[in-house]
Amino acid sequence: MADNSILCSACYTIPSLFLLFSCLSALSLSVNDLGPSNTFTVSSFRYPKSAVKPYDLRYIRVDLPPWFSSLSIAVESDVDLDAKSISKVPKSTLPMICFRDGSPPLPDVLNSSIVELGPISNASFEALTGPQNVQCYPMQKNIKVELTNEQISPGVWYLGLFNGIGPTRSQSKMIIRSPEYSFSANVSVEGCTTSTMWGQYCNQTINSLSCSLFDSYNPAENISDANFQVIENMVHCKNLETSCHGEGEVKVYLLEVLGVAEQLTIMTSNVILSTTMSNNTFKASGTNLTYYVRHGAVPSMALHDYSGDISKDPLVIHSPKVGRWFIAIVPALSKEISGSQNSNLQVCYSITWQVVRCPLGKAGLNCTSERYVLETVLRRDSSPFESYYLPVGGKVLPDSANFPIEPLSSNATYGGESNNPWTYFLLNIPRGAAGGNIHVRLTSDTKINYEIYARVGGSPSLDNWDYYYANRTRSSDGSAFFLLYNSSEEKVDFYILYVQEGTWAFGLRHLNTTNSPSNDQTIMSVSVERCPRRCSSHGECIVALDASGLTSYSFCSCDRTHGGFDCSIEIVSHRGHIQQSIALIASNAAAVLPAYWALRQKAFAEWVLFTSSGISSGLYHACDVGTWCALSFSVLQFMDFWLSFMAVVSTFVYLTTIDEVYKRTIQTVVAILTALMAITKATRSSNIILVMSIGALGLLIGWLIEFSTHIRSLSFSTEFCLNIPTRWQTIRGWFNNLIKTLWRRFRWGFVLAGFTALTMAAISWKLESSESYWIWHSLWHVTIYSSSFFFLCSKVDTVNSENQRPPDGNYALTRQDSFPRGE
């Protein structure tokens, strides 16, 4: 019991997880003492600081070789969210990070329950292996993850950084209010110097099983419960040396399946007990050899694919996946033997394993099913990796991407199930194409008598598949990465989204139970497309590269009325679209008000500016809602924002009474500044404050110019400089005269109306969102143009009276004539 206590202490204090099995069962690995590390740096790279805009995404690809030992990921960002604020932020605007094995994550099509609101845990990655498993977390200021080869499998892993998810992420938006965030990442991969070592520090020994190839072998000679015929191309491997280890001591074996196989069998023989002191051996009655098997990583009691007692029954894996398989064997002695207090007892045994492979073109446990390799045919004038697949040497229609199934179908039975033969098709997804989508279609003149099963890395079966379609009620339609379209008894049409690189196998299970041949013909089509259904004709397919430039992925940029991964979700109805279009376009008619007043006052420059601003805004919104585009969208957007900025600033400058030469100078400077704002980041929220500040600055400069013009006409006597009471009286007179001048300069009722309309415009701008944008932005058009109209009307034209004489020493913010009038 003391030894077990020490073992548990090590289990909980060593963070690198050197122990494979739980301390609850007192099982441990044979782990050497920590010494010099047997690792080396496979790759280490840093992604520089970059921004993730609202509703944008970034992908980072990480390649883990088969000999990797550990992976370290450190992400820094300027996101400042705590536990309380995270729960209040909607998923549509929540910045997050997602992880997926084999292909890029796509949280837009996933249930929101995949988002874990807690901190990232290393333990959550242990069950993340598989094409459908995705884990997402809210983005944090500092994220650090360290994973070992005992937790995750080698291969390709993807990190996805998102700034909001959901159907509206891909929807075209006029103005985005959500903030962007920046991030930088460090990724480091460590590897083992020796392929037979394992663990974070590569100090665990892995026994690699040797093998020899036989052209023909009958497995029924060694496995009594297997009912096989003589099969060609079987790999038969046997561990010639006897393995011995004590009770509770784990021994790990590595077995690599190099190609698509039909069955993997592992068995033990010659199980005996031996004593290390006297070399005596005797029969191991009552001894168990518990095995734990896992694909891609060393198994544990809590995390494994298969388990059992290999001393009683052999391990049989149908259709094993291509790659590395790890087998951990733990001896357990019977109570009688373990109670003999003989600590020198060891269990010895021999391991034999077999891999069943069928000849070229054949599949199934009895190798009577047909298997075809689909060759890649690139599409003309298409995006990268877009292609369709046709059988090599099969009967293919001329100049067609489709092929009939019946001439290729198997006529034999599968696994003893009569009248349900299988036909298999293999295709390869090349490196870098993990951001594509497999599109499968079946069409028939009558009812389709096939079920489709798909699997990556191995042949599918009724018990082992990644995706499947049996009928309209039985399919993988509940899967996030399986999209089913327009399926009926005569047609099957589905997509597998963001597929994993490597070999994909499709199995067609024949359902025709009649023995008589049928004249029905079923046509099959298999292709890789960038965007499903070409974004449903409601958007544009965008092709991009991940941060490393090694993977090409695609996504849809939808129009204003649709959203979702394939733009198939109608966010705005047809009737609502018409209402929004009319409101956004017609509300620009409010520009007539300031344009009319400017024309009446013969302020022709302002008249042209307000008229052009209203017209350009109407054309811009007409193009954005999909009604009509007079020019390109970018040109219309620039014109709308630039002229709007100019109209606001010109309203402020119009309120001054400086000479036209000064006004032209100010407006030229303003035109340059607002053009730069409109061409760089026109839709950013801070532009409103900048434009208002520029306008107020222009008004202040105009008043300063007017003040400096009149201050030069004032004379300061010595009495003013020396007599303090006179000085204060003069200053008070200036101030009173300034108040009177300002009071006479403006119609304050219109000023109050202008500020009221401007406040309503600010409220409308603040309340804009993706759902209510059309309402508040239409009100913004009306209120902002109305405020300009009221401000223009508030200015009183200054008329110099012939009999008016300005008081000596008093400043007035009016035009004054310095020449005396005749009396």
Side-chain angles (χ1 to χ4, degrees), residues 517-736:
S518 175
N519 295 326
D520 299 337
Q521 188 178 50
T522 304
I523 303 299
M524 186 174 184
S525 172
V526 181
S527 60
V528 171
E529 300 178 7
R530 303 311 303 179
C531 293
R533 302 181 70 185
R534 305 295 179 183
C535 298
S536 306
S537 301
H538 295 298
E540 179 184 2
C541 187
I542 307 298
V543 179
L545 296 175
D546 75 307
S548 64
L550 299 177
T551 299
S552 172
Y553 66 94
S554 56
F555 59 93
C556 287
S557 177
C558 308
D559 55 30
R560 287 196 66 251
T561 60
H562 291 80
F565 175 75
D566 57 351
C567 300
S568 62
I569 300 176
E570 187 181 45
I571 298 177
V572 181
S573 64
H574 178 69
R575 181 178 179 181
H577 173 62
I578 295 177
Q579 294 175 347
Q580 294 185 17
S581 301
I582 294 176
L584 288 170
I585 298 173
S587 59
N588 288 282
V592 173
L593 296 175
Y596 165 75
W597 183 260
L599 182 62
R600 182 179 178 181
Q601 299 298 316
K602 296 183 180 181
F604 297 111
E606 284 77 4
W607 169 67
V608 172
L609 191 58
F610 284 112
T611 303
S612 302
S613 176
I615 294 175
S616 63
S617 181
L619 293 176
Y620 171 47
H621 286 282
C623 181
D624 182 69
V625 298
T627 303
W628 176 62
C629 292
L631 298 171
S632 65
F633 183 82
S634 58
V635 172
L636 292 175
Q637 186 182 61
F638 168 76
M639 292 296 296
D640 175 41
F641 282 89
W642 179 53
L643 292 176
S644 298
F645 296 160
M646 284 293 297
V648 172
V649 178
S650 295
T651 301
F652 285 93
V653 178
Y654 178 81
L655 298 178
T656 64
T657 57
I658 57 178
D659 294 338
E660 290 298 324
V661 62
Y662 295 114
K663 284 187 176 182
R664 289 196 299 270
T665 302
I666 295 176
Q667 289 177 343
T668 301
V669 175
V670 168
I672 296 174
L673 294 177
T674 53
L676 291 175
M677 294 167 56
I679 201 64
T680 53
K681 294 183 179 180
T683 59
R684 60 184 174 184
S685 302
S686 58
N687 281 343
I688 302 297
I689 300 176
L690 291 175
V691 169
M692 292 295 180
S693 301
I694 293 174
L697 181 62
L699 179 61
L700 178 61
I701 292 175
W703 283 351
L704 289 177
I705 293 175
E706 185 178 346
F707 174 80
S708 63
T709 301
H710 295 289
I711 200 66
R712 289 194 299 266
S713 62
L714 300 178
S715 60
F716 297 93
S717 61
T718 305
E719 181 182 358
F720 174 81
C721 297
L722 298 178
N723 194 336
I724 295 178
T726 304
R727 181 191 312 171
W728 283 110
Q729 184 177 3
T730 303
I731 293 176
R732 187 166 51 251
W734 286 355
F735 181 75
N736 292 334

Side-chain angles (χ1 to χ4, degrees), residues 390-413:
L390 297 175
V392 177
K395 298 180 180 180
V396 181
L397 300 176
D399 299 328
S400 175
N402 308 322
F403 56 91
I405 297 178
E406 281 74 17
L408 309 175
S409 299
S410 305
N411 295 322
T413 61

